Amino acid sequence: MKKFLSLLVVVALLIGAIGCGNNKAPVADPTPDAPVVDSPAVVDPTPEPEPETPAYEYLSIYSAMPEIELPSYIAAFEADTGITVKWVRLSAGEMLTRIEAENANPLVSVMHGGPSDTYVSAVGKGLLAQYQPAGVADAPAAYTDEAGYWSPIYVGAIGFACNTDWFEEHKVDYPTSWADLLKPEYKGEISMAHPTTSGTAYTVLATIMQLYGDDRAAAWEYMKGFNANVRQYTKSGGAAPQQAAFGEVAIALTFAHDALVHANNGYPIKMIFPSEGTGYEVGAVALLENGIPEEQENAKIFIEWCMTARAQEMYIENESNRLPTNVNAKVTEGLTLLSELKIIDYDAVWAGENKTALNEEFMAMVDNAENLFQ
């Protein structure tokens, strides 16, 4: 009996020891006072966040970007933001004219694409609102608007798009300077847009004026001689390099990116930059002063989006050959950078402030813009 009672005491003591003992597994280098948490459950990877539903669904814009590019930018912005964009494609000159005419009864909230001198002119007419997106910090100061009315989204230089088949067939030297464009062998073989309707062509005109400096008379004499070799003035800047690509003319004056689109698609195009130096554009985007009230927040979102590396790297996907202004954006391989070209100290502010006067002089002394080719 005593043995049995002793056995019960031993069993009880063992059970007590087990119940009161430390049953936690040892932890290496425990953190003092660290909270005890449950083991994480196994879950699926976090899904990509869906764009938030915007407070207002729509945004309306005028854009000078080519129709071959613009839809892809719009589709990407819509996917990223959930905002539906209503857009109309116009040349830069037409865009400015329409916004000015509609100022009292606005139909859009943003102007998008086209050279910055067009935007400088719009500022002078009181058409733009000051809005500087955070993304402007990622662009070189030389491309930005100190007053904060417009933001830079790409860069491109003016040059000569030459149809190599024509030059091989006619055994004629390529033009390497602005002076060469006056040669008689190019009579009827040059195409350029009209500066009153095209930002591209106005950049050409402003470049010539700045090359001649104070000798405005000599500049206009040059333009008259150049005009004698022009077969046709087109309405939009993109139409001229298309004519060169199709062999309708030998030479088109254009931004390099608009010509290289055709070269990349297999057309016989060679890009040449003038030895005296050339002008360039800083393509821009801006908020209208009298835009549609409900769209103002969406307009700012769009401008900010345009400044991102994500948006500007679409220039690679589209093979548009535009140079991004965002220093973090990748650049299309093999593109000629502005730093590699001889460029003039192009004054976009001067060009914008003198746009109306120079276009009027061009109409009076060179070409009156009748019967423009589309």
Side-chain angles (χ1 to χ4, degrees):
M1 184 66 175
K2 288 180 180 179
K3 291 182 179 180
F4 179 74
L5 290 174
S6 298
L7 181 60
L8 287 176
V9 171
V10 171
V11 171
L13 288 172
L14 288 172
I15 292 172
I18 294 170
C20 298
N22 181 3
N23 63 351
K24 293 182 181 178
V27 179
D29 299 325
T31 303
D33 302 322
V36 178
V37 296
D38 294 330
S39 299
V42 177
V43 297
D44 293 332
T46 303
E48 289 294 325
E50 294 292 329
E52 295 182 8
T53 302
Y56 184 74
E57 184 179 354
Y58 297 103
L59 173 65
S60 306
I61 72 171
Y62 288 148
S63 179
M65 289 288 206
E67 289 183 356
I68 195 171
E69 294 179 50
L70 183 56
S72 63
Y73 305 137
I74 298 300
F77 173 75
E78 290 178 335
D80 287 353
T81 65
I83 297 168
T84 299
V85 180
K86 296 180 285 185
W87 56 271
V88 176
R89 196 276 163 187
L90 300 166
S91 66
E94 291 177 305
M95 181 168 61
L96 178 61
T97 298
R98 187 172 295 192
I99 289 171
E100 184 176 12
E102 296 169 355
N103 193 34
N105 184 28
L107 299 180
V108 299
S109 301
V110 170
M111 60 186 295
H112 172 243
S116 60
D117 48 47
T118 301
Y119 291 74
V120 172
S121 184
V123 172
K125 297 174 184 289
L127 302 177
L128 301 185
Q130 284 181 303
Y131 177 68
Q132 203 78 348
V136 80
D138 293 322
Y143 298 156
T144 62
D145 174 29
E146 292 182 0
Y149 283 96
W150 51 266
S151 301
I153 56 176
Y154 62 85
V155 184
I158 290 289
F160 312 150
C162 299
N163 183 290
T164 57
D165 289 349
W166 186 93
F167 281 90
E168 290 176 9
E169 178 184 348
H170 291 82
K171 309 302 180 186
V172 174
D173 291 335
Y174 287 98
T176 60
S177 67
W178 291 105
D180 283 350
L181 298 181
L182 305 186
K183 289 181 176 180
E185 53 261 46
Y186 300 143
K187 186 173 181 61
E189 291 297 340
I190 298 177
S191 178
M192 185 180 87
H194 202 281
T196 62
T197 59
S198 163
T200 304
Y202 181 72
T203 302
V204 173
L205 177 59
T207 296
I208 295 298
M209 294 296 144
Q210 292 181 46
L211 278 169
Y212 278 88
D214 295 332
D215 195 350
R216 186 66 63 82
W220 285 116
E221 282 304 308
Y222 174 86
M223 291 305 303
K224 291 176 184 177
F226 169 79
N227 180 67
N229 281 354
V230 173
R231 174 180 295 184
Q232 200 165 44
Y233 290 103
T234 63
K235 192 173 182 180
S236 70
Q242 180 174 292
Q243 289 183 330
F246 292 172
E248 298 169 6
V249 294
I251 305 164
L253 271 62
T254 182
F255 287 119
H257 47 253
D258 287 334
L260 292 175
V261 167
H262 300 292
N264 290 344
N265 287 326
Y267 289 95
I269 289 292
K270 177 179 181 178
M271 200 69 204
I272 297 173
F273 298 97
S275 59
E276 303 98 326
T278 192
Y280 64 95
E281 73 165 330
V282 176
V285 62
L287 179 70
L288 298 191
E289 175 67 29
N290 294 325
I292 298 170
E294 299 89 345
E295 294 186 351
Q296 293 307 289
E297 187 60 32
N298 290 353
K300 293 174 182 178
I301 292 171
F302 179 77
I303 292 169
E304 188 69 68
W305 183 87
C306 289
M307 295 296 296
T308 63
R310 181 269 198 280
Q312 295 184 21
E313 285 177 358
M314 291 190 70
Y315 305 153
I316 301 174
E317 297 173 30
N318 288 332
E319 297 183 341
S320 72
N321 303 294
R322 298 179 189 278
L323 293 170
T325 56
N326 187 313
V327 296
N328 302 309
K330 297 182 180 68
V331 179
T332 302
E333 186 177 352
L335 277 192
T336 301
L337 305 180
L338 285 188
S339 59
E340 300 170 337
L341 295 175
K342 183 176 181 180
I343 58 173
I344 68 170
D345 186 16
Y346 185 80
D347 190 339
V349 174
W350 178 90
E353 292 173 347
N354 289 274
K355 189 179 184 76
T356 299
L358 288 179
N359 278 337
E360 288 176 351
E361 290 182 68
F362 186 89
M363 293 269 286
M365 292 194 284
V366 180
D367 185 89
N368 62 8
E370 291 181 357
N371 302 317
L372 286 183
F373 181 79
Q374 296 295 319

